[in-house]
Amino acid sequence: MTSSPPIDELHYDEAPTVDSVPGPRSRELLEKQREIDSSAVAYPEDIPVAFEEGSGATVRDVDGNTYIDMFAGIGVLNVGHANPYVLEAVHEQADKLVHTVDFPTEARLELIEKLDEIAPAGLAGNQKVVFGGPTGSDAIEASIKLSKYNSDGDGLIAFRGSYHGATTGAMSLTSNTKLKEHYSPLLSDVVHAPYPNPFDQDKTPQEAVDHALEEVQAILEDPYGGLANPAGIFVEPIQGEGGVVTPPEGFLQGLRDLADDNDVTLVFDEIQSGFGRTGEWWASDWADVTPDVMTSAKALGGVGFPLSATMYHEDLDTWGSGDHAGTYRGHVVAMRAGSRAIEYIQDHDLLAHGRELGTSLRDRLREVADGNDHLGDVRGQGLFIGAEFVDSDGEPADDLVDEIQQYCFEHGVLVWTAGRHSNVLRLLPPLVLTHELAETAMDVIADAIEHATAAAKRTA
């Protein structure tokens, strides 16, 4: 029996419908937040709004304005806001039991089994899953520990443009120096290699792959490579915060080969790119490459519950009792939600839907790019899409993307930014986004791009 309801019944009937934003109630709550909340709060600086409710790929603020959500909480809400099929199980579980540490429950074991169903081919049937904490950073920390525990090494290789989290180990792997500068020293032996970017004007895609792999090989094998005792390679199959950078063919397989040749673990960070986001369960499925270890979080919690998991080959399951721990590794409500989300994606064939719709969205952006010198590149897989903007000199145009985001907000579409220079328009809509809502949202986005680039030309 197909999980109900179908995706075209999930959303608010009228979207977008916006008046002047932010509205009075949003302004009131934003002001209160500035007074009593942490100064670390960031997202309202870009989109000043206070939300009240959501449904499917639509969300409503406290003033009654309704938006099409092309952001989904940074890729958390893959089956949409308040998905009824998921919430049915959530309410049922919450009335019975919420927290169990790592005692066995039907919810826990069911999710582990479902994760095995959708695991990459090389892990399915011979993997273990550890729940260590509620965030993606926790899953990365577990992966670091696992890599070190199973080797004689402690050195780690990550990539420029990467984002892996904000805890100490995860931040060490993250390449953004601005995030790290106040907290050093972090982990000592971490080396960052180049990540191949097809938009690199100085290299062909194949040259970019060759260069990146040569650098990784040198770090691993050159006696003067700088990393004395390597333990693992950590990589996003598609970089998210780095700008939805989709590596050319051969990169992930090359890393697989180097990891095998040098007896280090290969860890794929699928926290943003996984759980159906790219039109396959995992972005690495597009390359048909299996890691030793894979992290998942964000959409894993079904409808926004905090939950992370580290999936790894059973040969690496050498931990003793209690060697990895965490209080919130037994959030059974989130586990029930995750299982239901998997079922909903399967029953409604949302992977195929995401592939088809994602192609349509990228094609629309490329139509906009035709004749527009400021839209330099459109890339991604499925509903993981990036559009990179440059100025008249070909340099990153972050101000332009800020204007596009603001225009979209004022016209009822929520989009976000990414990239090393914040010059990438990033689209991460729920997988339940319908063709009709997508077309409406893209009309607004196209108008926003035209409006912003026309203004840029006038001031050039």
Side-chain angles (χ1 to χ4, degrees), residues 98-102 108 131-135 138 306-308 325-332 334-335:
V98 173
H99 175 67
T100 61
V101 196
D102 60 6
R108 181 190 191 89
F131 303 105
T135 72
D138 293 303
L307 181 67
S308 73
T327 301
Y328 287 102
R329 63 190 189 273
H331 192 338
V332 287
M335 292 170 180

Side-chain angles (χ1 to χ4, degrees), residues 120-449:
L123 287 180
N126 54 19
Q127 70 167 351
K128 298 289 185 176
V129 177
V130 62
F131 303 105
T135 72
S137 295
D138 293 303
I140 293 295
E141 298 288 349
S143 301
I144 293 172
K145 292 169 66 176
L146 194 66
S147 297
K148 291 186 175 184
Y149 198 93
N150 280 278
S151 73
D152 294 326
D154 53 19
L156 307 173
I157 299 172
F159 292 86
R160 296 168 202 158
S162 65
Y163 180 83
H164 295 286
T167 53
T168 297
M171 195 186 303
S172 301
L173 296 173
T174 295
S175 67
N176 187 334
T177 57
K178 183 179 179 181
L179 295 177
K180 303 159 67 166
E181 61 186 351
H182 296 294
Y183 308 110
S184 60
L186 299 170
L187 297 186
S188 56
D189 280 337
V190 178
V191 177
H192 289 84
Y195 192 96
N197 187 341
F199 192 53
D200 185 346
Q201 302 300 306
D202 297 327
K203 297 181 180 68
T204 67
Q206 187 59 56
E207 288 172 342
V209 169
D210 292 344
H211 174 63
L213 294 177
E214 287 166 3
E215 287 291 315
V216 174
Q217 183 173 15
I219 294 167
L220 289 167
E221 300 176 5
D222 187 335
Y224 283 78
L227 196 62
N229 299 296
I233 301 170
F234 289 71
V235 64
E236 298 162 273
I238 296 177
Q239 287 190 337
E241 302 303 315
V244 196
V245 180
T246 308
E249 184 178 354
F251 176 59
L252 296 183
Q253 183 60 57
L255 293 180
R256 176 71 277 171
D257 295 341
L258 286 170
D260 291 339
D261 291 345
N262 292 276
D263 197 25
V264 297
T265 58
L266 178 61
V267 182
F268 285 172
D269 180 345
E270 294 266 13
I271 291 165
Q272 187 168 155
S273 61
F275 215 76
R277 168 57 48 196
T278 66
E280 296 287 352
W281 278 112
W282 313 103
S284 54
D285 289 341
W286 286 98
D288 194 25
V289 177
T290 299
D292 301 302
V293 185
M294 186 170 71
T295 60
S296 179
K298 288 190 182 294
L300 179 62
V303 286
F305 286 103
L307 181 67
S308 73
T310 303
M311 304 157 66
Y312 58 95
H313 196 280
E314 60 187 2
D315 289 350
L316 298 176
D317 195 39
T318 57
W319 274 328
S321 174
D323 279 345
H324 183 67
T327 301
Y328 287 102
R329 63 190 189 273
H331 192 338
V332 287
V333 175
M335 292 170 180
R336 284 292 304 276
S339 292
R340 279 292 182 102
I342 291 172
E343 291 173 4
Y344 193 88
I345 292 170
Q346 290 172 327
D347 290 351
H348 293 272
D349 202 9
L350 293 187
L351 298 184
H353 175 71
R355 291 193 296 270
E356 178 192 4
L357 188 57
T359 297
S360 175
L361 297 184
R362 288 191 299 278
D363 286 347
R364 180 69 187 278
L365 284 168
R366 289 184 178 117
E367 289 176 10
V368 174
D370 188 23
N372 188 322
D373 295 336
H374 291 287
L375 181 42
D377 192 32
V378 176
R379 53 184 178 251
Q381 292 280 15
L383 293 174
F384 196 17
I385 298 170
E388 184 160 354
F389 287 83
V390 295
D391 63 18
S392 56
D393 297 319
E395 297 299 317
D398 57 318
D399 290 345
L400 196 60
V401 177
D402 288 341
E403 290 181 31
I404 292 168
Q405 182 184 50
Q406 180 65 25
Y407 182 100
C408 287
F409 168 53
E410 293 172 355
H411 291 79
V413 175
L414 303 179
V415 299
W416 214 257
T417 65
R420 299 186 189 189
H421 306 285
S422 300
N423 65 316
V424 177
L425 177 68
R426 176 172 40 162
L427 303 181
L428 294 166
L431 307 184
V432 298
L433 182 74
T434 63
H435 283 276
E436 181 180 5
L437 284 171
E439 184 176 350
T440 301
M442 290 307 299
D443 286 342
V444 172
I445 292 169
D447 288 345
I449 294 171

Side-chain angles (χ1 to χ4, degrees), residues 49-132:
V49 64
F51 295 113
E52 184 167 47
E53 56 184 345
S55 186
T58 55
V59 63
R60 188 167 288 154
D61 70 19
V62 292
D63 295 290
N65 299 300
T66 305
Y67 308 84
I68 300 174
D69 187 359
M70 303 290 282
F71 170 50
I74 327 181
V76 167
L77 300 159
N78 283 14
V79 296
H81 294 269
N83 185 295
Y85 182 71
V86 178
L87 288 180
E88 178 185 48
V90 165
H91 294 311
E92 179 185 278
Q93 183 64 54
D95 286 341
K96 295 193 302 184
L97 187 66
V98 173
H99 175 67
T100 61
V101 196
D102 60 6
F103 290 100
T105 61
E106 290 184 1
R108 181 190 191 89
L109 301 180
E110 179 187 36
L111 180 56
I112 291 174
E113 290 174 342
K114 287 190 177 297
L115 286 173
D116 194 63
E117 286 179 22
I118 66 174
L123 287 180
N126 54 19
Q127 70 167 351
K128 298 289 185 176
V129 177
V130 62
F131 303 105

